[in-house]
Amino acid sequence: MPTEKLDVASGSMRIREINSNVGIGGIDRNVVADANGVLKTIDFNAYGLFHARLAGDQVFSSPGNIMTLLFNSPLSTSPYYSYNTSTGTLTFNQAGNYLVTLQAGFANMAAAGTQLTLGVRPVPDASYLARGTHYAAVAPASATIGELMSYTTLIIVPASGYQVRFTTTSSGTFTVLATESGGTGSGNVTNVTIQKI
């Protein structure tokens, strides 16, 4: 019995001589079929994005240990993700490939040459899924403007419920800045952005 205005019981559907109108990115929606074959529209640009900013400056005082970065409630998210602001644990609610960009501002290093590391680690803890290292060029003269480190990587999520945390570590003490401020203005500097691809 038909459940929609157009219900094709079996076989394929084809539209001939479709018009030549070109869609508008960011405005038009994509057509998808759900598990029952019902056509629906979805805005993939908004649906797959996660973005959060560091909740506040975090002081790293235990060289060699690993510190979890704690982000505020996401500014942008979707059903693909769940984030715990208390533990810093991000849960992926669907398997797939995810592009991750992690950025941080570091200040208050004791000396030039301090090794600074950003990483993505699984929960429960194991080896890094991804990491990047930077050596401080100078001991910064300011506690509000630091050295910027940013990298992008791919995480292959094997199943729903997979969890990660975003971390930092170093050979010395430092502060991860949530916001940089100075003569040219103030703004967020440490954040994470994830896109399902």
Side-chain angles (χ1 to χ4, degrees):
M1 179 173 182
T3 57
E4 305 293 336
K5 289 185 177 181
L6 174 63
D7 194 322
V8 179
S10 64
S12 301
M13 187 175 74
R14 179 178 179 185
I15 301 173
R16 292 182 182 269
E17 296 183 21
I18 194 164
N19 65 48
S20 60
N21 291 341
V22 177
I24 301 171
I27 296 175
D28 290 342
R29 294 176 170 265
N30 297 284
V31 177
V32 297
D34 70 13
N36 297 314
V38 177
L39 298 181
K40 297 179 178 179
T41 61
I42 189 170
D43 182 355
F44 282 118
N45 291 329
Y47 192 77
L49 185 69
F50 174 94
H51 180 80
R53 295 175 176 174
L54 198 68
D57 292 355
Q58 289 185 229
V59 177
F60 181 82
S61 57
S62 302
N65 289 341
I66 295 171
M67 180 173 73
T68 299
L69 297 172
L70 299 176
F71 294 94
N72 274 322
S73 296
L75 296 176
S76 177
T77 190
S78 79
Y80 287 145
Y81 318 93
S82 302
Y83 183 71
N84 186 316
T85 57
S86 298
T87 64
T89 300
L90 177 79
T91 302
F92 292 92
N93 298 321
Q94 188 177 103
N97 297 332
Y98 294 82
L99 200 62
V100 178
T101 299
L102 186 59
Q103 173 180 295
F106 296 94
N108 294 330
M109 285 80 75
T114 300
Q115 181 184 7
L116 307 167
T117 301
L118 282 175
V120 183
R121 299 179 70 90
V123 177
D125 203 31
S127 296
Y128 286 100
L129 299 172
R131 59 167 269 174
T133 299
H134 170 75
Y135 290 86
V138 296
S142 169
T144 58
I145 297 177
E147 293 207 27
L148 182 67
M149 180 178 173
S150 177
Y151 76 95
T152 300
T153 189
L154 176 73
I155 296 178
I156 301 171
V157 173
S160 175
Y162 190 74
Q163 295 182 319
V164 300
R165 64 189 178 111
F166 305 101
T167 65
T168 186
T169 188
S170 176
S171 60
T173 60
F174 63 90
T175 300
V176 180
L177 299 173
T179 300
E180 281 190 334
S181 59
T184 56
S186 301
N188 169 256
V189 67
T190 301
N191 54 71
V192 60
T193 304
I194 306 173
Q195 177 75 47
K196 189 174 190 301
I197 57 174

